[in-house]
Amino acid sequence: KAGETNQPVVSLNWFDCVKWCNARSEKEGLTPAYYTDDTQTNVFRTGYYWLLDLENSCVRWNAGYRLPTEAEWEKAARGGQNGLRFPWGNTISEGQANYMGCSYCYTNFDLGPDSYNAVGLIGGSPYTTPVGWFSPNGYGLYDMAGNVAEWCWDWYQSPPYHAGCAYAGGTDPRGPAGPGNFRILRGGSWFDEADIATCAFRDFTVPSIANYRYGFRCAMSH
């Protein structure tokens, strides 16, 4: 947003985010995570989205920066807590996250006030808030609920999940092998109501779409 600092980047499609992760890896002298095919010889730096079906086999999972998988994102969002609706508890208010208040829609957990967050209104649309404005979760991570919806690596798959998937009780945090039609978004945005800001809500869209509600964060294996 013009004139403001520490704002999250928005209006990136999924492919932009993947290429940015590779660029950051190469800038820091790390091995890139994403490649154009399963031989993992050609780094994914450029290309048109309709020519590329990036699958799990195109990823060096223990290399440089990458998008979190859906399961990794949710674990990070919960901040060490289990069974809570949000990273901090079971209710949400304007003082905890940047989301679209609708207390009459979700009377049991949205404490309002209603409409856009007053902080985000400063500076005009998109009504994002500076990173670090709200308190971090138990892992020290900011804005795991609200502000911008975050792209994840995974192809979208509805239940039943693939064998070994974390959502099917397994230990593999990677999503479906692919290809598919949609990629996952998590966390909700300044434009979304409280139900979409929950730790468990799964949003998805076609990866070629860039939107003023969509952003991302990087992950790295250790």
Side-chain angles (χ1 to χ4, degrees):
K1 291 162 65 172
E4 295 191 51
T5 58
N6 298 325
Q7 293 287 338
V9 173
V10 296
S11 297
L12 296 171
N13 67 38
W14 183 90
F15 295 95
D16 294 330
C17 300
V18 168
K19 287 183 279 190
W20 192 93
C21 287
N22 273 353
R24 181 177 180 184
S25 295
E26 293 189 300
K27 182 179 180 180
E28 296 185 15
L30 302 172
T31 300
Y34 299 116
Y35 297 82
T36 59
D37 57 43
D38 57 10
T39 66
Q40 297 187 4
T41 55
N42 297 312
V43 177
F44 181 37
R45 299 187 182 93
T46 60
Y48 297 103
Y49 62 83
W50 57 82
L51 297 177
L52 292 168
D53 286 324
L54 297 182
E55 303 178 16
N56 288 351
S57 59
C58 300
V59 186
R60 293 190 185 181
W61 294 95
N62 295 315
Y65 294 100
R66 58 180 176 80
L67 293 179
T69 67
E70 184 181 13
E72 289 171 336
W73 189 96
E74 184 167 330
K75 181 175 181 178
R78 293 188 178 281
Q81 303 289 337
N82 290 313
L84 300 179
R85 187 176 281 118
F86 302 100
W88 53 80
N90 287 318
T91 61
I92 188 172
S93 69
E94 188 179 80
Q96 294 171 304
N98 185 5
Y99 71 105
M100 178 70 79
C102 190
S103 59
Y104 54 87
C105 300
Y106 307 101
T107 56
N108 60 329
F109 62 86
D110 185 357
L111 305 182
D114 296 333
S115 192
Y116 296 111
N117 189 295
V119 176
L121 291 173
I122 300 171
S125 182
Y127 297 131
T128 57
T129 46
V131 175
W133 185 271
F134 302 100
S135 298
N137 71 3
Y139 290 155
L141 301 173
Y142 294 92
D143 296 320
M144 298 304 292
N147 212 16
V148 295
E150 299 178 3
W151 286 108
C152 294
W153 162 259
D154 304 35
W155 293 105
Y156 173 74
Q157 182 184 46
S158 58
Y161 300 110
H162 65 285
C165 171
Y167 287 94
T171 58
D172 183 1
R174 303 170 193 177
N181 296 317
F182 308 103
R183 295 283 185 174
I184 293 289
L185 289 150
R186 287 299 207 111
S189 75
W190 57 271
F191 187 81
D192 296 312
E193 294 173 354
D195 62 323
I196 298 179
T198 62
C199 293
F201 188 88
R202 308 175 70 223
D203 198 2
F204 59 91
T205 191
V206 293
S208 58
I209 288 181
N211 189 289
Y212 49 56
R213 298 183 290 120
Y214 300 164
F216 76 109
R217 72 178 67 220
C218 291
M220 180 183 286
S221 297
H222 291 284

